[in-house]
Amino acid sequence: MARGLRVTALDQRVAIERVSRMPDGMGGTTESWAPISTVWAQVVPVRGAEKREAMRVSPDNRMKVRVRWRGDANGQPFCTPADRLVWRGRTYNIESAVPWGGRERFIEILISEGVS
């Protein structure tokens, strides 16, 4: 429930990163990730498991991250699934970013660990 979430619950620092592509001079591009914002967040574990694929075991961790609302010019959350999130030195894929808490008070970001 959004009314129960207080700003003081945002006790973790997370960075949202966005990719940029630059020409490499040989007809291709080079990808580079750079932080677009570092914000205070509440990180809530949703599920932790292991999955087997390609004859190896890999982690399948999912979490919800709640941050204060920041929107773009169209009223959408400032981050998208094209971005990624870094928390405690680990990189997570953003699966979704939606308004949460009524009146655009927070953004709830669903993240997962692993290669997208």
Side-chain angles (χ1 to χ4, degrees), residues 15 17 33 59 61 63 83-94 111-116:
E17 295 183 340
W33 289 90
N61 299 323
M63 291 181 260
D83 301 325
R84 69 184 188 182
L85 184 141
V86 178
W87 176 57
R88 293 185 175 174
R90 296 178 84 154
T91 303
Y92 297 87
N93 301 312
I94 296 178
I111 60 172
S112 63
E113 191 171 24
V115 178
S116 59

Side-chain angles (χ1 to χ4, degrees), residues 13-88:
R13 292 295 273 176
V14 300
I16 306 294
E17 295 183 340
R18 186 160 289 159
V19 69
S20 63
R21 293 174 179 86
M22 301 292 292
D24 64 6
M26 300 182 75
T29 59
T30 301
E31 288 187 353
S32 174
W33 289 90
I36 60 169
S37 186
T38 300
V39 296
W40 289 101
Q42 177 190 43
V43 180
V44 180
V46 174
R47 178 181 80 195
E50 291 180 342
K51 62 182 175 183
R52 297 183 192 284
E53 56 183 40
M55 303 284 289
R56 66 177 222 218
V57 177
S58 59
D60 184 22
N61 299 323
R62 295 191 187 283
M63 291 181 260
K64 290 181 183 177
V65 177
R66 295 180 182 129
V67 299
R68 289 190 72 138
W69 174 261
R70 286 183 46 203
D72 64 12
N74 298 320
Q76 297 298 313
F78 75 101
C79 58
T80 70
D83 301 325
R84 69 184 188 182
L85 184 141
V86 178
W87 176 57
R88 293 185 175 174

Side-chain angles (χ1 to χ4, degrees), residues 98-113:
V98 295
W100 186 81
R103 294 188 181 172
E104 298 176 340
R105 293 181 55 202
F106 299 96
I107 300 170
E108 184 171 83
I109 305 167
L110 182 62
I111 60 172
S112 63
E113 191 171 24

